Amino acid sequence: MRDNTPLTPPSSPLPPRLGPRLARWWNRVGIWYLFLTPAILLLLIFFAYPLADSLMLSFYKWKGLGARKFVGLANFEDLLDDRFFWGATWHTLVFALVVTLGTVGIGYLLATVISRRVFGSSVYRVGFYLPVMLSVVVVAALWVRIYEYNWGLLNTFLRAVGLDVLALPWLADVKYALAAVIVVPIWQYAGFPMIVTLAAIEGIPQDLHDAATIDGVSEWQRTWSLIFPLVRPVVASISILQIIFSLKVFDLVWVMTKGSPGNSTAVLGTFLFRQGFETQKYGYASAVAVVMFLIVFTLTYLYQRLVKFDAVEF
């Protein structure tokens, strides 16, 4: 004979004295927080605590050994009078702006071209994305060799085609060093916006493209009036990510120039590193870190407030 008795959930592991209401909460919600506990502990230990300690350290002077000396806002006041800090801040903002425009702009153009199924589009898709998977340190070391004045690939090519006047000491001249460094992340990371934007473009219904073709639109009109309005939310999200990554740049600049020549390529990341690990001004370096956090947070917040797009429905 078949047993039609409905299945009931296992009894609560909590003692009966805690009450049925708390037992129901534990079975429905509490058990899931228990599974999340390891991840929460890791976030608290390796993210929240260092962040809070860095904020507190910015109000002290400390050489790494001995007791900390409370100085209040003195570290921040010193930053306001530090011309090297302002120079690094300006270079960081220029770096973030140009790299974001370059990577997102080139990535969007590559995505639109590949989406039209040009010959070899699958090869282009893989080839343009490959640099994204390379280590930043490896890419930086590679481009240092490319920019080398005497035997570097770039200057050797320029001399071979008769453009000796353009063979310059790219990383040793204050006029060209920052621009030369900016080219590298644009080359490396343009593939990331390309892949994401390409996925958004391929999600556009073919009926819209067919209607545009019947109307006789040009490829430029198709790109600007049809494709771009439909993928703007994706482009906006990628731009936010690129801005955040670019404002935190350190390893690329450190491997290529270490902020030289004459601090012409110094960014906030390299300035913080020098203050903390070369001069042992850990409180001062923490103040720089706090300023970096405020810059990233402010720019991201303003971008999200000012750049808003309605949801796209096909």
Side-chain angles (χ1 to χ4, degrees):
M1 181 175 180
R2 183 177 180 180
D3 186 6
N4 295 323
T5 304
L7 297 176
T8 57
S11 59
S12 170
L14 297 178
R17 64 178 179 272
L18 294 181
R21 180 175 298 181
L22 184 58
R24 286 195 300 269
W25 176 87
W26 175 260
N27 288 328
R28 294 178 181 178
V29 181
I31 189 66
W32 303 113
Y33 283 104
L34 181 62
F35 286 116
L36 289 174
T37 300
I40 295 175
L41 289 176
L42 288 175
L43 286 175
L44 292 176
I45 295 172
F46 295 104
F47 180 76
Y49 172 73
L51 185 63
D53 189 62
S54 178
L55 177 61
M56 294 299 299
L57 185 57
S58 65
F59 299 105
Y60 290 82
K61 282 189 176 182
W62 188 48
K63 289 290 186 178
L65 297 174
R68 300 179 179 182
K69 179 182 178 182
F70 181 76
V71 293
L73 298 176
N75 288 325
F76 296 96
E77 294 174 353
D78 292 341
L79 281 179
L80 296 178
D81 297 327
D82 192 336
R83 64 184 182 89
F84 296 108
F85 165 76
W86 288 110
T89 302
W90 172 250
H91 297 156
T92 303
L93 295 176
V94 171
F95 182 94
L97 177 62
V98 178
V99 169
T100 301
L101 291 176
T103 53
V104 176
I106 294 175
Y108 174 76
L109 292 177
L110 292 174
T112 54
V113 173
I114 294 174
S115 68
R116 303 309 299 161
R117 298 296 189 271
V118 297
F119 178 75
S121 59
S122 58
V123 177
Y124 297 147
R125 184 183 312 190
V126 175
F128 288 126
Y129 188 74
L130 278 177
V132 180
M133 298 185 289
L134 297 177
S135 167
V136 176
V137 175
V138 173
V139 171
L142 171 66
W143 277 86
V144 168
R145 303 298 184 273
I146 292 175
Y147 283 136
E148 203 276 327
Y149 178 70
N150 294 310
W151 306 107
L153 180 62
L154 178 57
N155 284 345
T156 300
F157 171 77
L158 292 174
R159 295 188 185 104
V161 297
L163 298 176
D164 301 61
V165 67
L166 297 180
L168 303 170
W170 299 101
L171 297 179
D173 194 316
V174 295
K175 294 184 294 184
Y176 310 112
L178 183 60
V181 171
I182 288 175
V183 168
V184 179
I186 294 177
W187 171 83
Q188 182 180 8
Y189 290 113
F192 174 68
M194 178 200 71
I195 288 294
V196 179
T197 307
L198 181 60
I201 292 175
E202 291 182 344
I204 299 175
Q206 185 61 35
D207 295 344
L208 297 179
H209 288 287
D210 295 339
T213 303
I214 294 174
D215 291 338
V217 301
S218 64
E219 287 301 319
W220 170 254
Q221 290 172 328
R222 182 193 305 272
T223 301
W224 182 252
S225 301
L226 173 63
I227 297 177
F228 183 69
L230 296 177
V231 300
R232 277 188 301 178
V234 175
V235 173
S237 300
I238 297 174
S239 299
I240 293 176
L241 294 177
Q242 292 295 94
I243 289 174
I244 294 174
F245 293 154
S246 300
L247 288 172
K248 299 189 298 180
V249 63
F250 165 74
D251 43 7
L252 176 73
V253 177
W254 188 257
V255 173
M256 293 189 69
T257 65
K258 294 187 177 180
S260 301
N263 290 309
S264 61
T265 60
V267 292
L268 287 175
T270 59
F271 180 77
L272 184 154
F273 183 87
R274 288 188 181 278
Q275 298 301 318
F277 296 99
E278 291 187 358
T279 63
Q280 283 75 50
K281 297 180 180 179
Y282 293 104
Y284 195 62
S286 295
V288 178
V290 171
V291 173
M292 288 181 63
F293 170 79
L294 293 176
I295 292 175
V296 173
F297 177 82
T298 302
L299 292 180
T300 305
Y301 175 79
L302 291 177
Y303 190 91
Q304 290 179 329
R305 294 284 296 179
L306 298 176
V307 182
K308 290 185 177 180
F309 301 108
D310 298 330
V312 178
E313 296 184 1
F314 301 117

